[in-house]
Amino acid sequence: MTQSHIRFVSWTAVSSRAQAEKESLPDQRRLNHEFVADLARHYPGYTGAIVADLQVIGSRSIVELSTAAETYPDAYGELLRLVRAGAVDAIVCRSRDRLGRTDALIVTLERFCLEHGVIVVPRQSLPVTLDIKALRDSEGAGLLGVIESHFAHSAVRRIVNEHERGMIERVAKHKQFPSHLPWGYKYHYSETGARTVVIDPPAAAVIRYILVDLFLDEDLGRVAITQRLQAERQPSPSGKLWDYGALRKVFRIPDRYAGYILVNRVSKNARPLTRVRGDHPAIITDAELTRIQTKIDALTTQHDPPFSILAGVVWCAVANQPMYTAHASHNPPITHFRCYYCEKRGEGRHNVSEKRLLTIARLAIQQLTTNADAREVARQMHAADAARIDAELDGVAAARERLLAKERRLLHTYVHLPETQLDWFDAQMATFQAERKRLDDAEQDLLAQRAAIESAEHSADNLAALHALGDRMFDEATPAQLQAWLSGCLRIYVRPGGKGRKDRSAIIERIEFV
């Protein structure tokens, strides 16, 4: 069966921050990529690849296509350039209302694309064909665009389509993975273009070796399993030597290897867990899954951790998460803090005694009380943080500009490439897309840090309160009161001083007032 290959531009857009919270750019981008990867299911005989990712944030009510290109050169301007250059065949987007905020701009853009042989493919109202000649010959093509662009602004259409094409429906109704396939599986395409999920035998053999042979039968811990896999040079998902991070992905959701699909296993928005039997074959049995999950639960449960005044105050500087309390092997037992993250990754223990940390915490507050101008301290703290974040954001912006230049050069050469080099082009574009995602994630993290910085006045009030209370909290408050107070105003960051060394090598990296 002859396959027609379609080059797509992935188009994502939000017109406001409030809309972005409901229909985020990453979600739109992910669904666009999934649609193109699964193109043959919607249009038999076609394959697709995304050659560019473009996005618009906070677009204005623009009616002229030329004005849109001038206002948003990296989005509309770049799109027009790609269309004119013949570097793309289609544009995939969530719906036609993502193309602009006014009907005039939407219709103009779609007509411009049609004239240059480019098809607009809204995922929520798919065109009947990807044959550009058939669409051009259709007398109703222009009218259909006007009607769709108008009704795309309807809240009813938005709610219905989101429900029909949501991730949960994809899992519950179609029994398919909501995104990319996990390691251990691959797609198989029949002669008619039908796609099924099958086991990847070499990867499945390693998965059973890890979960059943090493974890269950030999009772090895994850660090020991990692070392065994490295020594035996077992194949890994990345093709490199195994590390603890790669092994964690195998253990993260073992249900999928027993033939199940989970959605919202951990949800920030309290969405209900969806667990269904998928359409993919199992690598492990249900009985083995039960044994694996029981053992994982037993290993990750902390039994009766000792109370500490510094609970929630002591953080690991490597993992950026709170350390947990445990009893040291002394008589009487001594409370100390440990980092689960570093121990499991083989970074070495950095046990820090509660007594040592209490001395440091009290000294830090005493030193703060010697500063008569708490507001000046706050201003200095915020100025340093803001300068650091701004410098890193500038670095991300510069890296994004360099990446954009590379993408433009690559797209410029696309039309001159022979058929034999298309795989190379796709690989290069995939590398650029991964780098863009990394930069986007870094930018979002920096913006979150900036948003988390409280105003100078509020921080000054906190420091003034510490200044007023001073040693009184240590001397007069109950342990529970002191713990609640310290966890709300202080962070002590600890870093390991060396692998395999004890308490004396732990480094107190910094102390922050929050």
Side-chain angles (χ1 to χ4, degrees):
M1 181 178 178
T2 304
Q3 297 281 326
S4 297
H5 187 73
I6 305 295
R7 300 166 297 171
F8 281 89
V9 167
S10 170
W11 181 270
T12 57
V14 291
S15 59
S16 65
R17 292 295 179 185
Q19 187 183 79
E21 294 176 359
K22 298 178 182 179
E23 304 164 303
S24 69
L25 291 170
D27 284 344
Q28 293 182 43
R29 187 179 301 112
R30 174 178 56 80
L31 292 171
N32 286 349
H33 281 254
E34 290 177 6
F35 173 86
V36 173
D38 200 25
L39 189 63
R41 185 167 68 88
H42 303 282
Y43 298 98
Y46 286 87
T47 61
I50 290 179
V51 299
D53 273 296
L54 303 178
Q55 69 177 31
V56 176
I57 301 176
S59 61
R60 305 171 186 173
S61 298
I62 298 172
V63 296
E64 295 291 338
L65 191 54
S66 58
T67 304
E70 293 174 0
T71 307
Y72 300 96
D74 292 337
Y76 289 100
E78 182 67 7
L79 178 63
L80 298 188
R81 189 191 68 78
L82 293 172
V83 171
R84 290 192 181 103
V88 297
D89 305 307
I91 302 168
V92 59
C93 57
R94 175 187 175 276
S95 52
R96 280 188 172 86
D97 68 337
R98 300 300 88 192
L99 298 176
R101 294 184 66 179
T102 63
D103 293 347
L105 179 59
I106 295 170
V107 175
T108 304
L109 179 57
E110 188 166 20
R111 185 173 299 167
F112 171 84
C113 292
L114 197 63
E115 291 173 354
H116 286 79
V118 175
I119 302 172
V120 175
V121 184
R123 291 183 284 100
Q124 297 183 353
S125 54
L126 297 176
V128 294
T129 179
L130 294 183
D131 186 340
I132 187 65
K133 185 178 183 303
L135 282 179
R136 280 173 171 167
D137 293 341
S138 171
E139 294 180 356
L143 179 61
L144 177 63
V146 174
I147 294 174
E148 288 291 348
S149 64
H150 172 74
F151 281 101
H153 292 281
S154 165
V156 175
R157 173 178 292 275
R158 180 177 296 116
I159 293 172
V160 171
N161 283 320
E162 281 300 320
H163 175 72
E164 290 178 349
R165 298 183 180 277
M167 186 189 304
I168 293 178
E169 192 223 7
R170 176 178 172 85
V171 171
K173 182 177 180 180
H174 302 292
K175 314 300 182 185
Q176 298 174 346
F177 286 103
S179 57
H180 63 276
L181 291 181
W183 187 63
Y185 294 97
K186 62 182 181 180
Y187 286 122
H188 172 74
Y189 293 89
S190 68
E191 293 182 356
T192 62
R195 188 183 73 176
T196 56
V197 178
V198 299
I199 289 176
D200 184 5
V206 178
I207 290 170
R208 281 198 60 83
Y209 181 57
I210 292 171
L211 296 176
V212 179
D213 298 342
L214 300 182
F215 188 60
L216 292 181
D217 297 345
E218 295 192 33
D219 195 28
L220 295 183
R222 301 187 197 184
V223 173
I225 292 175
T226 303
Q227 294 171 347
R228 176 77 68 86
L229 296 174
Q230 291 174 344
E232 296 176 355
R233 294 192 171 273
Q234 293 285 350
S236 70
S238 65
K240 302 177 182 179
L241 284 178
W242 281 90
D243 57 24
Y244 192 80
L247 187 66
R248 285 184 66 192
K249 296 179 180 179
V250 175
F251 279 92
R252 189 169 65 90
I253 311 179
D255 306 64
R256 57 193 173 184
Y257 298 123
Y260 296 95
I261 300 176
L262 274 66
V263 178
N264 294 328
R265 186 176 66 93
V266 178
S267 175
K268 296 180 180 179
N269 300 316
R271 295 191 178 106
L273 170 68
T274 298
R275 184 177 188 266
V276 301
R277 175 73 74 172
D279 65 353
H280 60 287
I283 296 175
I284 60 175
T285 66
D286 282 4
E288 289 168 339
L289 172 64
T290 300
R291 292 173 58 199
I292 291 168
Q293 196 60 62
T294 299
K295 186 174 179 181
I296 291 175
D297 293 341
L299 291 173
T300 56
T301 301
Q302 297 294 329
H303 298 284
D304 191 24
F307 170 81
S308 172
I309 292 171
L310 296 177
V313 175
V314 185
W315 285 53
C316 174
V318 175
N320 194 31
Q321 63 184 19
M323 299 172 67
Y324 70 93
T325 55
H327 286 306
S329 55
H330 293 81
N331 191 15
I334 299 174
T335 299
H336 65 176
F337 285 82
R338 296 169 56 178
C339 177
Y340 179 83
Y341 175 90
C342 288
E343 292 175 13
K344 290 302 180 182
R345 287 182 61 89
E347 299 290 342
R349 292 184 178 182
H350 45 298
N351 303 342
V352 183
S353 69
E354 179 190 51
K355 180 179 179 181
R356 175 185 175 191
L357 292 168
L358 277 172
T359 301
I360 292 173
R362 189 161 187 168
L363 178 61
I365 293 177
Q366 288 174 344
Q367 290 177 340
L368 175 65
T369 61
T370 62
N371 192 316
D373 189 355
R375 293 180 180 274
E376 181 61 28
V377 173
R379 283 192 293 270
Q380 293 175 1
M381 290 170 58
H382 284 281
D385 287 340
R388 174 185 60 81
I389 292 172
D390 288 342
E392 293 184 18
L393 283 171
D394 290 342
V396 170
R400 185 179 283 113
E401 287 297 323
R402 292 192 295 270
L403 179 61
L404 182 60
K406 292 179 181 179
E407 290 176 334
R408 287 172 174 168
R409 288 195 296 270
L410 182 62
L411 289 171
H412 181 72
T413 63
Y414 183 87
V415 295
H416 304 293
L417 291 176
E419 188 73 19
T420 56
Q421 292 188 6
L422 291 182
D423 289 342
W424 170 83
F425 174 84
D426 292 341
Q428 289 292 107
M429 188 59 70
T431 300
F432 291 161
Q433 290 171 356
E435 177 64 13
R436 182 174 294 279
K437 183 180 184 305
R438 186 190 69 79
L439 292 174
D440 289 343
D441 292 343
E443 182 181 51
Q444 291 301 317
D445 181 63
L446 291 169
L447 292 174
Q449 291 181 43
R450 173 184 281 174
I453 296 177
E454 298 175 337
S455 67
E457 290 294 323
H458 183 63
S459 296
D461 292 340
N462 287 343
L463 294 176
L466 291 174
H467 183 282
L469 290 174
D471 290 339
R472 288 174 52 197
M473 287 298 297
F474 281 93
D475 297 333
E476 301 176 15
T478 66
Q481 290 172 334
L482 181 57
Q483 187 275 327
W485 182 70
L486 286 173
S487 63
C489 67
L490 187 65
R491 292 284 186 274
I492 302 176
Y493 288 89
V494 179
R495 179 180 294 276
K499 294 183 179 180
R501 304 171 73 180
K502 293 187 180 292
D503 190 1
R504 64 179 182 272
S505 69
I507 298 172
I508 308 300
E509 183 180 85
R510 66 186 187 276
I511 300 173
E512 295 181 357
F513 293 99
V514 296

